[in-house]
Amino acid sequence: MELSADYLREKLRRDLEAEHVEVEDTTLNRCATSFRVLVVSAKFEGKPLLQRHRLVNECLAEELPRIHAFEQKTLTPEQWTRERRK
């Protein structure tokens, strides 16, 4: 399986029941496979940042060993709505 932004987007959307997922392949700017993600999910409600990131990392446990750099931003639907209003 080849890692792609589309593959990661669909896996995050499905496994985290995310209402919004953005995945940017930043490999061209780096020396190895790299991605930046934004995940909006109700599963993040009431969870601190570290627990949210752990949920994402668990979802991508099979893929992360093949990713050199991985940046993530995790928001609840309410936080996403507020952020878009800025």
Side-chain angles (χ1 to χ4, degrees):
M1 160 207 43
E2 181 180 329
L3 288 179
S4 69
D6 289 337
Y7 172 83
L8 295 178
R9 185 179 304 108
E10 182 53 36
K11 184 163 188 184
L12 289 164
R13 184 182 318 273
R14 182 185 64 241
D15 293 0
L16 295 176
E17 301 170 15
E19 69 175 53
H20 182 81
V21 179
E22 295 176 13
V23 179
E24 179 184 358
D25 185 342
T26 58
T27 302
L28 292 177
N29 301 327
R30 304 221 167 109
C31 61
T33 306
S34 306
F35 293 95
R36 178 180 301 126
V37 303
L38 165 66
V39 183
V40 179
S41 174
K43 285 191 170 192
F44 299 146
E45 297 282 352
K47 291 184 174 48
L49 184 63
L50 185 56
Q51 284 183 333
R52 294 175 184 195
H53 285 198
R54 284 182 179 152
L55 284 172
V56 171
N57 292 348
E58 288 168 8
C59 173
L60 299 177
E62 293 178 21
E63 293 79 13
L64 285 177
R66 300 189 343 243
I67 297 175
H68 177 75
F70 186 75
E71 300 172 51
Q72 59 178 296
K73 184 171 187 177
T74 53
L75 300 172
T76 65
E78 182 180 329
Q79 290 171 322
W80 174 238
T81 299
R82 280 197 315 261
E83 189 164 297
R84 289 186 307 181
R85 289 184 188 151
K86 290 181 185 179

